[in-house]
Amino acid sequence: MTASDRFSHPAILRRLVAMCYEILLLSGVVAVLVIAPHVLIGAFAHRLATPAILWAHLFLVLLVYFIWFWSNGGQTLAMKTWRIRLLTCDGLPVRPAQALLRFLLCWPSLVIGGVGIVWALIDRDGQFLHDRIAGTQLVTA
């Protein structure tokens, strides 16, 4: 029996709904940690950040958010609500380097036609492509 067989894997619909809920929660995080500082800087300094700086700031906020939650308990706020946990394929907590790899891999997995999401339909454990490559798995918490 493999480590993956010891865990129940959430259905793809449940994971997709959790992703939508994550977007809703992240809109608040982004408003406070990305938009508000740039509005204040613009108001007081009378300067606007370049689009590259805004995108870099957004990317950094998302990177810190996901790596922190995935490597400290294996659950973001939305994942806690939907009882989904991120573990390694061995069933261990995710290390920060592995969380970083998953974060970086999820972008092309989502952006390139959602290929990483569609992958879950043919994967033997129903895992997303970025999870398979990063050596992680989503399990029912």
Side-chain angles (χ1 to χ4, degrees):
M1 179 187 328
T2 66
S4 182
D5 294 336
R6 292 182 292 181
F7 299 101
S8 169
H9 298 285
I12 189 166
L13 182 60
R14 183 176 179 179
R15 287 180 280 158
L16 292 174
V17 171
M19 286 171 64
C20 291
Y21 187 56
E22 193 79 66
I23 291 167
L24 179 66
L25 294 175
L26 278 172
S27 65
V29 172
V30 167
V32 171
L33 297 178
V34 178
I35 297 170
H38 287 283
V39 167
L40 291 172
I41 290 168
F44 291 117
H46 302 291
R47 293 180 176 246
L48 295 176
T50 65
I53 289 174
L54 288 171
W55 281 110
H57 187 186
L58 175 64
F59 185 81
L60 182 64
V61 165
L62 294 177
L63 177 105
V64 170
Y65 174 88
F66 283 109
I67 291 177
W68 170 260
F69 280 109
W70 288 341
S71 53
N72 289 286
Q75 293 176 295
T76 62
L77 300 174
M79 292 168 76
K80 286 179 184 180
T81 302
W82 288 92
R83 294 184 37 241
I84 297 171
R85 181 177 304 278
L86 182 68
L87 299 173
T88 67
C89 285
D90 299 328
L92 301 172
V94 175
R95 299 177 319 275
Q98 206 167 12
L100 174 63
L101 178 61
R102 184 180 194 264
F103 178 80
L104 295 174
L105 290 171
C106 79
W107 288 103
S109 182
L110 292 169
V111 173
I112 303 174
V115 68
I117 305 302
V118 174
W119 173 268
L121 298 173
I122 61 169
D123 186 84
R124 70 178 180 270
D125 298 319
Q127 295 296 315
F128 295 136
L129 182 59
H130 49 273
D131 284 313
R132 184 63 62 198
I133 296 170
T136 57
Q137 63 177 333
L138 292 172
V139 300
T140 304

